[in-house]
Each structure stands twice: as structure tokens, then as C-alpha cells.
Amino acid sequence: MTRDQPAAAKWLARRLFPVLATAGLVLVGMGSTMWWGPALLGRTSWSLPHDLWGTMTAAQRLAHGDLAGLYTTPTGLVSLPGAALLLVPVVLVIQAAGLSLRIPGPHFPDPGAWLLAGPYAVVVSATALFAADALAEQLGVSRSRRALLAGAGAIGVWSVSARWGHPEDAVAMALLLSGVLALARDRAGRAAWLTGAAVAVQPLVLLALPVLLAVLPVRRWPGFLIRAAAPGAVLLAAAAVANPGATASAVLRQPNWPRVDHPTPWTPLAPALGHGAVAAGPVRWLAVLAACGCGLAVRRRWAALDSETRTWSVPQLRELLWWVAVALALRSLFEPVMVAYYPWPALAAALIAATGSWRALIPASVTAAACTGLAQGQWRGLWTWWAPVIALLLLTLVLARVAPPREARDPGPEERPREMMIAR
């Protein structure tokens, strides 16, 4: 036995449930796109997440140094360049294998690139499950509840990766959750860099930034913000220098199509771009302002954080995760055009917050699964799709807020709360 084997076995034992969930996701993801899904829909071609091909095209251009083409047709990229950077490794393997990155369609129904891109997208998305499990372990959650957390989280990861082809959302959440864990371990610098990497991959995590700042002394804000802004700023600046017009149009306007996806009550406020598209970017300032309100609420609850010493208990960290979930949920609440996977980041954070007791975790897992399942519906009624999805999302947040009973049995060693220092 080599020296590395005991460490690998120990890691596998600690992360057994995310490992099993990832393996299951690969099987279900590939099966649902290549066999079961097409059979249920009566199709002969594979049911593939077409958005992934646009991002892979951007990744191909990035790999070849074509920064000017990141935000031009047919990439459809509206996120920061980190989303394309994430897919560069699998794109290089696909090219080395001699497979085409041609977008699937009637004349190209079964692209061989999916045999590589599909498992890769699922595996990198599953990093969110490992980050969630690490946080649950830090919170002292029992292995049985961690198993349910992994299973419930896998349902959302399937929607993000195999169903819709946006692994960047899951990777951004993995980085953000890892940043929260680093903050809990008194590593503010590491937390800032992880948050910045998350923003560079998917800027939606910016909604959680006011909540993270709220638990830091004001004197630590400048350093945290500089680190959190650096990765995304560097990548975006490179793309903007190469093609300023296309970069500004994609990143600031964030075009979306309410006739293709799902309209919301905020759709009329989004500027029209022509050809049925609207600019989703400007309306998102409502969510940003509301997220700042969340940060103020957290700040008022922890007004004494500027003291020289501050020990955080497990319930306090759990509450921080709940506020992160609330902040992330604001995207779905104020989004002018919704897509099925948008609620997932908030659901993922809420499920971790709900791990304090079975009476919170079980119903929260059920409602999160119901929200994910209902969101897959193709109908576009404002009150038959958007309203029920938002209601289930909000219900999950409410259920995740349920506190553990005070008169609880003496927990085992793996369940005992751990006092954690928040960085000062």
C-alpha cells in the first residue's frame, strides 16, 4: 500500500455521499439525455442541453486565443469569461479526439462530443455537492442527514448540468460555499479569493456578497472587495479590450427571450432588444438593491462583530447560510425572464441551512425537489409557472429556517457543534 492510499481512503470515507451522488448523476444524466429522455418524448435524437454548446464554442475560441469572439455568435455567452474557461479542458480533449463541436440539430442529432462533455459537465457541477458536504461536516451534521443532503442536492445539480448545460452555476456555488467555509475557519483572504473566483464564473453570486461583508469588520472590507473583484475584472478586461462592443452588450444587457423561456411580472420593465429579446441586465439592479438590504439586516443582527474577539457558534453559521440562500433567491424573485435552473443556487444553500434537524431537512428537501421538478415544465403562464415555482422556493426558505429542538439528545462526536472563528 502506498503512502497516498490511506489518505485517499480517508477522504473517500469522509465524502462518500457526494461521491455516490456524483456517480449516480453521471449515470442518470447520460441516460436521461441519450435513452430515457428521448424515449419519453418520442424522439429519435438525443435530448441535449444546447446551451452547453454555445459555451463550449466560447471555450474553443478562448483556448485558441480568440478573445474577440467570446461574446459573438453563436456562443450566446452572457456570463463572465470564467464560464468559458471552465470548459477549456474538455474542449481540448474533444478536439484531440477528433470530435466535432458542431451545435446539435436535425442534421446532427447525436454528437459524439456529448460522450465527453456530458460526464465532464456533471462532474464539475457536482463540486457543489462536495462543498455542501464539507460545510455540513463543519456544522457537525450527522452522516445520515448528510446523505439526505447529498441526494436532495443532486436533484438540483442534474437540472443545472445535464438538463440545461450550465455547469458554471454549480461551480460558482461550490466556490461560494467553499468561501463561506473558509470564512468560518478564520481565513478571510482565502474566502475573498474563492468568492472572486465564483464571481468570475457566474456573477449571480454577487448577491451573496453583502451578506458576507456584513459579518466582517468594516476595516476588512477593502481587502476583501479587492480580492473578490480581481479574478472577474482581469478576465472581463481582457475580453473588453479584444471586443468592447460585444462584451458590453452581452454582459450589461444580458439578452433573454420571454417567448422561449418564462416571463415574470418584471418582464414589462426590461428594455426590448428586438426579435423578441429583452435586456435582463438592467432589471437585475432590483435584486442587487434587495441583497444590500439583506446585508444590512445581517449587519444589524451582528452589530458587535467589530470587537476584537468573536466566536461563532454553529447556529450562527447556519443562520449566515440561510441569509445567503435568501440573497440568492432574489435573482428568481426579480428576474425579468426565468429559466428552470435559476432557483437552484438558493435551494442549495437553504438545504445546508436546514440540516440542523430532520424536521427541517426532510420537508425542505421535498419542497426543493418539487420546485426543481415543477420548474422543468414547458408552459409559460405567469401564474401557472412563475408563481408556483417562486412559492415553492419561498416555502423551502421558510422550512429551512426551522430551528432544531432545544431539548435534543446528547449528540455523538460527529454531531457535536464546533465553535468557529469568523475572520476579523
Side-chain angles (χ1 to χ4, degrees), residues 339-417:
V339 188
Y341 61 91
Y342 283 6
W344 174 78
L347 295 173
L351 287 174
I352 308 171
T355 55
S357 67
W358 285 111
R359 71 173 184 174
L361 182 58
I362 291 177
S365 299
V366 171
T367 54
C371 181
T372 302
L374 179 63
Q376 309 308 313
Q378 297 300 307
W379 55 90
R380 295 177 179 83
L382 184 64
W383 303 113
T384 57
W385 190 92
W386 181 83
V389 168
I390 294 300
L392 286 169
L393 172 60
L394 296 179
L395 180 57
T396 304
L397 292 174
V398 171
L399 293 171
R401 188 66 167 166
V402 174
R406 292 183 179 180
E407 295 79 23
R409 63 176 176 80
D410 183 37
E414 66 175 9
E415 299 180 68
R416 289 195 182 115

Side-chain angles (χ1 to χ4, degrees), residues 113-253:
W114 177 244
L115 299 177
L116 295 172
Y120 179 84
V122 170
V123 170
V124 297
S125 298
T127 54
L129 302 179
F130 288 86
D133 188 68
L135 266 170
E137 182 184 55
Q138 184 75 16
L139 288 167
V141 176
S142 66
R143 287 182 63 83
S144 55
R145 290 203 293 271
R146 284 166 59 191
L148 178 55
L149 175 65
I155 296 174
V157 171
W158 165 82
S159 173
V160 171
S161 58
R163 177 68 180 89
W164 292 99
H166 285 274
E168 68 274 9
D169 283 45
V171 172
M173 273 304 295
L175 292 167
L176 176 64
L177 294 175
S178 298
V180 173
L181 181 59
L183 201 61
R185 292 174 174 172
D186 198 13
R187 298 173 183 172
R190 178 180 174 85
W193 285 116
L194 287 167
T195 303
V199 172
V201 173
Q202 173 51 275
L204 74 90
V205 299
L206 280 171
L207 294 174
L209 184 58
V211 175
L212 300 185
L213 289 175
V215 302
L216 288 171
V218 174
R219 66 179 181 274
R220 300 297 299 272
W221 287 10
F224 194 95
L225 287 172
I226 289 172
R227 293 181 179 92
V234 170
L235 291 175
L236 188 60
V241 168
N243 193 336
T247 302
S249 178
V251 174
L252 298 179
R253 291 185 177 182

